[in-house]
Amino acid sequence: MSALKERNKMCHSNLIFIVLFICTDYVTGDISTSLALSKLNSGATFFAGPYLDGSGVSNVTTQIGTHAYLPCKVKQLGNKSVSWVRVRDDHILTVDRMTFIADERFQSFYVESSGVWTLQIKYVQARDAGIYECQVSTEPKISARVHLHVVVPRTELIGDSDRYVKAGSAVILRCVVRGALEPPSYIIWYHGTQQIFTESRRGWKTQLDRGAPDLDGDIHSTIGSLIIESTRKKDSGNYSCSPSNSPPITVSLHVINGESSASAVTSSARSLFDDSISMFKQRNLQILLRHRTFVMLLVLVIYAQLSCHVNYRL
């Protein structure tokens, strides 16, 4: 009799457990459903798998010789892979952190805290410009594109490419770097193939003016100057201005004696005059840019004084 009671008690316990389990599952499911419905009603978007944060084509601009970083933000990646493809030739560059191109400048890395896969291109070249695609291995595939723009600075001479000066006179050779995102860290001058070290040459010095405004309105220009206080005949030859971030450019210096031809002297005078005019414009433009408000006020004062003077005479 006691065994029968014990069996009935166990059956009742199992039944209560099953009822509680069903009720708990029902309540939990009902709450989850209610939460989901409330989110749907609020206009929230649900993604069952990986998705890209952002759409369209993003743009990245970098300067030749520097490093470029192309971002791709993927959420809920799970066990899927992220690949980078160069669109112009459909070359697969990387899959996850593995590189599939012989060019070691390309590398992909992942920052888990932000969910960003970044394609790094070291020492960017002009030919690296173009569109790159970040692809996620879903079915169907999802992807985002990044357009890489490569800025190539240019080096120009200030003055003629042939300079004529009399022996014993001073000369200033100048070059300007334009169109750079960042100014050059240095400009090296060469005489022929030999680098010029001004410390070992008396009366020689170099100068670097970063961020100087020029006549084209390019505030990122950098002017490099080689100054020779007293030229000698042996100083004749080709001088190369070689910036750290743009191609070199060459100017020919001709040191002439007093009996040299009139045409050479005329050319020398013209070069010096053009150089002086160019520097005058550079300096005055810089003054105007810095003191534009003061100049406008000065013009207004002069105009007012002239008006008063004319009215007084009338």
Side-chain angles (χ1 to χ4, degrees):
M1 190 69 175
S2 61
L4 182 61
K5 286 182 178 181
E6 191 68 31
R7 202 183 321 167
N8 289 334
K9 187 178 179 181
M10 187 178 296
C11 289
H12 290 156
S13 299
N14 291 338
L15 182 61
I16 291 171
F17 175 78
I18 293 171
V19 170
L20 287 174
F21 178 81
I22 293 173
C23 290
T24 303
D25 185 62
Y26 174 78
V27 172
T28 306
D30 187 57
I31 292 172
S32 301
T33 304
S34 299
L35 289 173
L37 288 173
S38 64
K39 288 186 178 181
L40 285 172
N41 291 332
S42 66
T45 304
F46 289 89
F47 294 92
Y51 67 96
L52 296 170
D53 188 5
S55 58
V57 179
S58 58
N59 292 281
V60 172
T61 302
T62 192
Q63 187 168 295
I64 190 171
T66 60
H67 296 354
Y69 299 92
L70 282 55
C72 180
K73 192 168 187 178
V74 185
K75 292 190 174 182
Q76 298 180 188
L77 181 62
N79 60 352
K80 303 300 181 182
S81 296
V82 175
S83 305
W84 279 98
V85 176
R86 188 168 56 200
V87 171
R88 75 164 184 262
D89 56 1
D90 289 328
H91 197 301
I92 298 175
L93 304 174
T94 63
V95 177
D96 293 336
R97 291 184 175 87
M98 295 184 64
T99 304
F100 287 86
I101 186 171
D103 193 337
E104 296 180 353
R105 297 180 303 121
F106 291 87
Q107 181 183 0
S108 177
F109 58 88
Y110 176 63
V111 179
E112 189 172 356
S113 59
S114 61
V116 176
W117 284 89
T118 300
L119 177 67
Q120 180 189 53
I121 308 175
K122 296 180 180 179
Y123 310 108
V124 171
Q125 303 172 9
R127 61 185 176 89
D128 294 326
I131 298 177
Y132 295 80
E133 190 171 75
C134 165
Q135 300 178 353
V136 182
S137 62
T138 54
E139 189 60 43
K141 175 192 73 177
I142 58 174
S143 61
R145 291 188 169 189
V146 181
H147 193 167
L148 176 62
H149 304 267
V150 179
V151 173
V152 182
R154 60 190 188 278
T155 313
E156 299 173 1
L157 291 174
I158 298 178
D160 291 342
S161 58
D162 282 284
R163 300 289 301 274
Y164 294 87
V165 296
K166 286 186 178 181
S169 61
V171 66
I172 303 177
L173 305 179
R174 293 187 178 90
C175 65
V176 56
V177 178
R178 293 192 171 105
L181 295 178
E182 299 177 359
S185 55
Y186 59 82
I187 291 180
I188 297 175
W189 285 90
Y190 292 88
H191 184 195
T193 59
Q194 298 296 316
Q195 182 177 343
I196 296 173
F197 296 96
T198 55
E199 297 84 359
S200 60
R201 301 198 183 200
R202 187 177 179 182
W204 289 45
K205 61 180 179 179
T206 58
Q207 186 173 309
L208 196 62
D209 299 314
R210 295 185 176 91
D214 59 23
L215 301 179
D216 294 336
D218 186 355
I219 62 172
H220 298 293
S221 295
T222 299
I223 298 174
S225 304
L226 174 64
I227 304 167
I228 308 174
E229 292 182 355
S230 180
T231 55
R232 294 176 291 180
K233 188 70 176 176
K234 67 176 184 177
D235 295 331
S236 297
N238 292 330
Y239 288 80
S240 298
C241 159
S242 182
S244 63
N245 62 348
S246 62
I249 196 166
T250 301
V251 56
S252 296
L253 178 64
H254 307 271
V255 180
I256 57 178
N257 295 321
E259 66 274 8
S260 298
S261 65
S263 60
V265 175
T266 303
S267 176
S268 173
R270 185 175 64 250
S271 297
L272 290 172
F273 176 77
D274 291 343
D275 195 35
S276 299
I277 290 296
S278 176
M279 288 304 299
F280 175 79
K281 289 180 178 179
Q282 292 276 352
R283 290 175 180 174
N284 281 275
L285 178 61
Q286 191 168 2
I287 292 172
L288 287 174
L289 288 173
R290 291 180 178 176
H291 306 287
R292 182 171 51 189
T293 304
F294 173 76
V295 172
M296 291 177 65
L297 288 173
L298 184 62
V299 170
L300 290 174
V301 170
I302 294 172
Y303 176 77
Q305 288 180 343
L306 288 175
S307 299
C308 292
H309 181 70
V310 170
N311 291 335
Y312 175 78
R313 295 193 62 178
L314 290 176

